[in-house]
């Protein structure tokens, strides 16, 4: 985890970004702080994941740069539960999502904006 790439965090979760391909308005990675895997989340962690993911997708899909959000999990061997959120550009847009706006909106429900 590169601290400069953290967008938002709380006591259990970290959201970071990667530059990703140019055809994406955003490429974000949500992961647990503790080492765990899919199927090992307790009920509270699973509930938190669902709420954070739902909020993140709603925020991204309401930003002008993003058309929609694809959610994907791969790389489970890395030790942290992590899921990717990929947002292609909205039609006619080629800019990146404003990470500060994203972090601030997500922090409205808790956690700390870092971008």
């Amino acid at each position: 985890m590169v601290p400069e790439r953290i967008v938002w965090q709380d006591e259990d979760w970290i959201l970071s970004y990667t530059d990703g391909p140019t055809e994406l308005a955003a490429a974000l990675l949500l992961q647990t702080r503790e080492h765990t895997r899919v199927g090992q989340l307790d009920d509270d962690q699973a509930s938190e994941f669902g709420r954070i993911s739902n909020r993140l997708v709603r925020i991204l899909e309401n930003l002008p740069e993003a058309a929609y959000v694809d959610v994907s999990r791969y790389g489970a061997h890395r030790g942290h539960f992590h899921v990717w959120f990929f947002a292609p550009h909205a039609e006619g847009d080629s800019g990146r999502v404003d990470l500060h706006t994203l972090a601030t909106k997500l922090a409205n429900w808790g956690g700390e904006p870092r971008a």
Side-chain angles (χ1 to χ4, degrees), residues 9-20:
Q9 65 183 2
D10 70 8
E11 59 276 356
D12 298 315
W13 300 90
I14 299 171
L15 179 70
S16 60
Y17 76 94
T18 182
D19 293 329

Side-chain angles (χ1 to χ4, degrees), residues 7-8 59 99-110 113-115:
V7 175
W8 170 90
I59 291 166
L99 296 174
H100 177 73
T101 298
L102 172 72
T104 302
K105 289 178 180 281
L106 195 55
N108 284 335
W109 287 288
R114 296 277 307 268

Side-chain angles (χ1 to χ4, degrees), residues 4-113:
E4 295 80 32
R5 293 199 172 261
I6 296 174
V7 175
W8 170 90
Q9 65 183 2
D10 70 8
E11 59 276 356
D12 298 315
W13 300 90
I14 299 171
L15 179 70
S16 60
Y17 76 94
T18 182
D19 293 329
T22 57
E23 64 268 10
L24 293 177
L28 302 163
L29 178 67
L30 179 64
Q31 65 182 332
T32 56
R33 287 187 180 273
E34 293 185 21
H35 290 273
T36 190
R37 292 178 182 247
V38 173
Q40 293 178 339
L41 297 175
D42 64 29
D43 288 346
D44 288 339
Q45 290 170 317
S47 179
E48 287 174 352
F49 170 71
R51 286 191 306 271
I52 293 167
S53 296
N54 192 53
R55 291 169 183 159
L56 180 56
V57 169
R58 284 195 322 229
I59 291 166
L60 283 166
E61 288 183 344
N62 281 290
L63 293 176
E65 301 87 359
Y68 58 89
V69 178
D70 284 324
V71 181
S72 177
R73 181 189 76 86
Y74 62 89
H77 63 282
R78 296 182 185 168
H80 289 274
F81 173 85
H82 62 276
V83 175
W84 287 95
F85 296 80
F86 299 113
H89 293 288
E91 188 172 330
D93 199 310
S94 61
R96 296 285 182 163
V97 163
D98 180 348
L99 296 174
H100 177 73
T101 298
L102 172 72
T104 302
K105 289 178 180 281
L106 195 55
N108 284 335
W109 287 288
E112 170 191 357

